[in-house]
Amino acid sequence: MLVAAAICPCLPSLTFAAELDAPAAPERLRAACAEAVAVVLAEDPEIVAVVGPGSRSFLHEVGALRASREHGPPAGIRLGHRRAAEAPASRLPMALDVGVRLLQQAGWTGPVCAYELDDARSWPMNGEDGVHLAGRADRVGLLVMGNGPTRADADGARRPDPRAEEIDAGIAAALASGDVEGFFPTMDVGLARELGVSGRSPWQTLDGADWDLTTHHLLYAETVDSVSCFVATWSP
């Protein structure tokens, strides 16, 4: 059963600024993410599922985490209930690396499963996966990683787009209300891909997992480095 969910963006600068030799994400954003993760851990989950975008759909569920890059998860973070020696290591995409590091920074030492989602999946598939994730234990916490629209071309030039503004408003309203209007299931996959919305599949998975959470708080909704970033909590 899902006991709480934290929704965070997957900017590398949230957790890997030093390793990337780049400016850190704004302090208010980092503080909001820490607050959101703390809400999940306060509900005493048996396992935390980190859900985020990647190049494929794959559940990383057992063994130690090995970074796919030098600035990946630190030692001591593990997947599932098995010890590192009992299963092979697993490589994670950046979005899940960021999520796992947020858990590590919050002091989480319990089991983790990490679910990588490609951006072409349909709402029925994502919603069903949410149901399955929520059923992995009696008390499951979710950390849902994903970004809103990206407002920059390849050369970094900012490009205004009224469709992005509309999606931003819809995402913020859905996160603040527990998506009572069903915004995430109806988000168009083609438009999301065109606007660089990486959170569509993860947010749909959250919708599928949530049956009983009644308290919803939008903690942050701003643009950082031309990317729309949202932080929220869903809890009892």
Side-chain angles (χ1 to χ4, degrees):
M1 181 182 75
L2 182 65
V3 295
I7 299 91
C8 295
C10 45
L11 297 180
S13 60
L14 268 174
T15 56
F16 294 113
E19 292 88 339
L20 295 170
D21 194 24
E27 172 60 29
R28 282 205 319 113
L29 173 56
R30 288 183 283 129
C33 289
E35 179 180 348
V37 172
V39 167
V40 173
L41 301 189
E43 293 298 325
D44 194 26
E46 298 171 51
I47 187 170
V48 177
V50 184
V51 181
S55 61
R56 57 179 176 167
S57 292
F58 187 77
L59 180 62
H60 307 260
E61 58 180 337
V62 293
L65 294 183
R66 182 178 75 243
S68 57
R69 53 194 66 81
E70 292 181 357
H71 45 80
I77 295 293
R78 61 194 173 91
L79 290 175
H81 295 274
R82 298 168 65 183
R83 296 182 181 276
E86 297 175 347
S90 181
R91 295 181 180 273
L92 298 180
M94 173 59 81
L96 298 183
D97 276 350
V98 172
V100 168
R101 180 62 69 90
L102 287 174
L103 287 175
Q104 189 266 345
Q105 290 175 344
W108 175 249
T109 58
V112 175
C113 69
Y115 195 22
E116 174 182 354
L117 297 169
D118 71 71
D119 65 1
R121 292 167 56 89
S122 68
W123 151 242
M125 294 174 65
N126 289 326
E128 183 177 356
D129 282 348
V131 173
H132 293 322
L133 284 175
R136 290 182 66 86
D138 289 338
R139 301 186 65 79
V140 176
L142 276 186
L143 175 52
V144 184
M145 310 300 295
N147 298 332
T150 300
R151 293 173 172 78
D153 292 319
D155 61 1
R158 187 174 175 83
R159 51 179 173 84
D161 191 321
R163 299 173 303 169
E165 302 295 333
E166 183 177 350
I167 286 184
D168 273 348
I171 294 169
L175 293 176
S177 68
D179 200 15
V180 293
E181 299 295 330
F183 176 80
F184 293 138
T186 60
M187 186 180 290
D188 181 75
V189 60
L191 180 60
R193 182 178 296 165
E194 181 182 349
L195 296 177
V197 180
S198 67
R200 187 191 68 90
S201 282
W203 297 328
Q204 288 185 350
T205 302
L206 169 62
D207 262 17
D210 175 28
W211 291 87
D212 300 308
L213 304 182
T214 58
T215 303
H216 313 99
H217 294 294
L218 181 64
L219 305 179
Y220 189 95
E222 295 185 18
T223 300
V224 177
D225 296 332
S226 299
V227 176
S228 294
C229 295
F230 301 90
V231 181
T233 58
W234 292 10
S235 59

